[in-house]
Amino acid sequence: MAQAAPTSGGTPRHARPAVTGGPTTDVFDARTHRIARVAVPIVLALVYGYWAAANRRSGGPITGWNVLFGFVTAIVFAVVLIGLLTVAPRLRREVHALAWTAFVGCAFGFLYSQSGASILRSVGMSLAVSVVTFAVFFYRFYTHEDAEGRRIR
């Protein structure tokens, strides 16, 4: 059998015009996107706070101050991340990339400093991560946004 089975729609798939430049199809509805816009930063913040607290105690016992440190770190991380997610899309692509670079560099540097490394080593590692982050984000925003920061469709 060399022929394809007929489709229920009537028009064979190869005879339909190709869709180009149209809207993208979202798998999830608007409600799911609204929930994820808040839930994802909170989950990331809790993971970050736990990680910072674990680095700070260096495998020692969990204390009340350690738990408090983790929750305060998580709250600050969540507030800054939600603020960045709100403000950054309105920025031009260069400043957009710099904002994410500063966030990632500071977040990494803080985690690294909690492990007991020297301040010079923490700053050096943070700058190395920031350089790579800027290159990746600038390339992404440069290829997906126009000069004013609007997404190219």
Side-chain angles (χ1 to χ4, degrees), residues 37-58:
R37 187 137 181 101
V38 174
V40 169
I42 289 173
V43 169
L44 287 175
L46 288 173
V47 169
Y48 186 84
Y50 171 75
W51 196 347
N55 281 354
R56 188 174 185 121
R57 66 185 170 89
S58 300

Side-chain angles (χ1 to χ4, degrees), residues 126-137:
S126 181
L127 285 175
V129 168
S130 295
V131 166
V132 173
T133 302
F134 179 75
V136 170
F137 277 114

Side-chain angles (χ1 to χ4, degrees), residues 77-99:
F77 184 89
V79 167
V80 173
L81 180 57
I82 290 172
L84 185 61
L85 288 170
T86 304
V87 173
R90 299 183 186 123
L91 302 173
R92 296 185 61 216
R93 60 186 172 205
E94 295 86 3
V95 182
H96 194 174
L98 279 174

Side-chain angles (χ1 to χ4, degrees), residues 49-50 53-54 57 61-74:
Y50 171 75
R57 66 185 170 89
I62 298 173
T63 63
W65 291 111
N66 187 252
V67 172
L68 179 66
F69 175 78
F71 278 115
V72 169
T73 302

